[in-house]
Amino acid sequence: MVQNQKSYGPPRESWGSRIGVILAVAGSAVGLGNFLRFPGVVVQNGGGAFLIPYFISFLLLGIPICWVEWTIGRRAGRLGGLSSSPGIFGMLGGGGPVKYVGALGLFIPIVIYMYYVYVESWCLAYAWFSLKGDLILGEGGKHAAFFSKFTSGGQYFAFLPETLTTLLPQNIFFFLITFFINFFLIFRGLSRGIERFCKLAMPLLLFSAIVIVIRVLLLGTPDPAHPDQNVVNGLGYMWNPNWSELANPNVWLAACGQIFFSLSVGIGIILTYSSYLTKKDDVVLSGLTASAMNEFCEVCLSGMIIIPAAFIFLGVSHMEGIAKAGTFSIGFVVLPQIFELMPLGQGCGTLFYFLLFLAGITSSISMLQPAIAFIEEGFHMRRSTSMAILGLITLMGATVVILSPGFTVLGTLDEYASNLGIPLLALFEVIVFIFVIKVKDGVEEAHVGADMRLPRWFPFVITYITPVFLLVILGSWLWSKVHPFFSGGVTTSADPIRSGTILAMMGFFVILVILVKAAWPRMAKGMQQEQ
Amino acid sequence: MTPLGWVIFIVSNAIVIGLCISCIIRIFLIPREHMQAFLEIDTHDLDDNEDPKGQKRGHKTVDSLLSMISRTLAYTSSNFSRVFRK
């Protein structure tokens, strides 16, 4: 590593390496949650109604819990050598029932992975479509129809034999390619290679996103027949506050779910990765930089591109209809219309979707690490074996997601894993930080090797504000779900696919709890040897 | 867009951009950073060629069977285009 020689003080690393660090942190942090999920969730929750809970959640939940998770993980890794969330919770809880909470840290990333890789494959497919010029469709809702036809498997490759194309619709074809790429990268341990590649891809993604923002802001009023559908009103849809919606617990839960999802906080991934860190490694500045980069991509780029453009091209009712049908869909309907209006739009579209695909890969290959660590620690199996097991489980889950009609299964998995599971795990992490590690010791632990100190407000916020905030949101959400049962508001017209998905998730969680119980003796033995 | 909407828009974007800039400045100012991105962290996995130290590996048959499946899948994925063409 090149170092600048100074006559005094410690050696300084070169600017190149610092930029490399920033890009690596940004590359790991930025994913499909920023560019595709965020606009969908904003529109689903009424635009301006969402942003205030969202920023409050970012400041009071996202950043503090990010620090908590990095700190808990590194402490547990150093003291007990365990890296999976059941191992970490079990170690910190003295082997008691707290270890079963750790099953959430396996359940959430596996469930998210099942649909995340499918959405990732849409990016690859759209890069291909854009390259071929298939996305030049003109106006009149054709992009929505194209997307709908693609995701329902209605289009086929012309160059393949007819019998094969009948069996292999495009969405399944691109999913299989994406799934195998992910599998190969994780299996061969090539995550660091792809991360290095993303250091080059990340500036390109940011640059192309900034170019698209400028193009969207210059759209003005493209359709004189609809003068209301202009950029300023599109921004107004996103930013004008809607105070009446602040009393809705679902909006708050969606806001904190989005923050957690895009920051990868409360999922269990940070817990696992931070357990591999040493005393020398920083956790405070790393966590803050990753969070800040995430927010920049989410609010300043994605929000400024997709929501105003969707408002202009689709109008409010059509935009809300698409977002309600599928959280991740809106970017695939709106972005091609922007690229059509840009010079070299076909090339820009190909590049942007491919870079998005890469950003998705860097996120998805980290999602299985908690489960890999659990299988290695709890059952002493090798990485390849762990990957085979996880590959089969996630392939089965993803198959159900793909073959189910519409986006019911995808939406249900996303709603319960992201909006309910993640805040729940985050709450348990905060409880462990306050009552097991103790806030004072936790702050000291975070400062070991840190490149910056935690702010003075952190102990107060993490002790009083964050847990109360999470409890109120989860309690209100639970009440909103349970209350109709007692007041007779629920009839038997519930969607059977949705109910089946919820039951399947509950069954999967119970299996994970049983596996945690079975794995614990080996994990405890490994922990004792490490200690 | 209402005046309050403009205020929230400007303040929110300023906070986010300010936070990013302050983090970048900090990274450049500290004498030596110790930051690591997720995927750059060494995960100390058990490789196929090494046994866990001092630990008996359970489920040997299952282990080798699943290992074989995963190797086949990895081989297929690395040669996907060739296999598909055949």
Side-chain angles (χ1 to χ4, degrees), chain A residues 121-143:
Chain A
S121 74
W122 297 349
C123 296
L124 183 64
Y126 264 59
W128 170 249
F129 296 149
S130 187
L131 186 69
K132 283 205 311 167
D134 291 350
L135 297 178
I136 303 168
L137 299 170
E139 293 172 9
K142 286 179 187 167
H143 291 90

Side-chain angles (χ1 to χ4, degrees), chain A residues 128-445:
Chain A
W128 170 249
F129 296 149
S130 187
L131 186 69
K132 283 205 311 167
D134 291 350
L135 297 178
I136 303 168
L137 299 170
E139 293 172 9
K142 286 179 187 167
H143 291 90
F146 182 90
F147 178 71
S148 173
K149 205 172 175 186
F150 162 65
T151 48
S152 59
Q155 291 209 337
Y156 306 109
F157 278 98
F159 61 85
L160 290 174
E162 200 179 333
T163 45
L164 191 59
T165 56
T166 317
L167 292 169
L168 200 68
Q170 269 183 330
N171 59 338
I172 298 178
F173 177 81
F174 280 106
F175 166 74
L176 287 175
I177 292 178
T178 310
F179 187 85
F180 281 122
I181 289 173
N182 272 279
F183 184 88
F184 181 72
L185 290 172
I186 303 171
F187 179 82
R188 299 297 293 243
L190 297 176
S191 58
R192 271 181 274 180
I194 191 80
E195 191 61 27
R196 277 182 210 122
F197 182 64
C198 279
K199 279 184 190 174
L200 299 172
M202 191 47 55
L204 215 53
L205 178 66
L206 295 181
F207 177 74
S208 51
I210 290 167
V211 171
I212 300 167
V213 168
I214 293 167
R215 183 65 192 93
V216 169
L217 293 179
L218 295 175
L219 278 173
T221 311
D223 187 0
H226 297 97
D228 289 347
Q229 290 178 209
N230 57 51
V231 174
V232 175
N233 285 351
L235 289 172
Y237 177 82
M238 185 175 163
W239 293 99
N240 286 342
N242 181 356
W243 304 112
S244 62
E245 279 294 313
L246 292 184
N248 183 354
N250 287 323
V251 174
W252 285 89
L253 199 66
C256 77
Q258 174 59 28
I259 284 291
F260 288 144
F261 187 96
S262 61
L263 299 184
S264 299
V265 169
I267 296 179
I269 300 173
I270 293 178
L271 218 49
T272 296
Y273 274 99
S274 56
S275 72
Y276 302 118
L277 295 177
T278 63
K279 270 183 169 183
K280 289 178 185 172
D281 294 312
D282 162 86
V283 294
V284 183
L285 188 55
S286 307
L288 189 64
T289 309
S291 306
M293 295 289 180
N294 242 297
E295 287 311 291
F296 176 72
C297 289
E298 198 156 292
V299 177
C300 303
L301 298 180
S302 167
M304 298 271 266
I305 293 171
I306 293 175
I307 295 171
F311 186 89
I312 290 168
F313 293 127
L314 305 173
V316 176
S317 58
H318 194 188
M319 172 174 75
E320 289 182 346
I322 289 171
K324 276 176 185 153
T327 312
F328 292 91
S329 313
I330 200 160
F332 294 96
V333 176
V334 173
L335 281 170
Q337 298 189 53
I338 304 171
F339 294 130
E340 267 192 48
L341 297 174
M342 286 172 68
L344 302 173
Q346 201 175 328
C348 285
T350 307
L351 183 69
F352 189 77
Y353 277 116
F354 185 70
L355 293 171
L356 217 49
F357 171 69
L358 282 181
I361 279 194
T362 59
S363 301
S364 60
I365 57 179
S366 63
M367 277 178 200
L368 293 186
Q369 189 58 35
I372 290 173
F374 172 69
I375 297 172
E376 285 180 352
E377 285 169 4
F379 298 97
H380 294 164
M381 291 181 181
R382 292 169 293 190
R383 186 181 178 88
S384 54
T385 316
S386 315
M387 254 323 285
I389 295 168
L390 290 169
L392 287 173
I393 293 169
T394 51
L395 188 61
M396 282 194 291
T399 307
V400 177
V401 170
I402 296 167
L403 297 181
S404 63
F407 300 115
T408 313
V409 174
L410 194 159
T412 311
L413 292 179
D414 187 45
E415 183 187 340
Y416 280 84
S418 306
N419 292 0
L420 181 64
I422 300 178
L424 207 55
L425 182 60
L427 179 64
F428 284 117
E429 285 172 354
V430 173
I431 290 170
V432 164
F433 189 80
I434 296 170
F435 295 106
V436 179
I437 294 181
K438 310 289 181 197
V439 176
K440 197 181 167 195
D441 291 349
V443 171
E444 280 175 18
E445 170 70 40

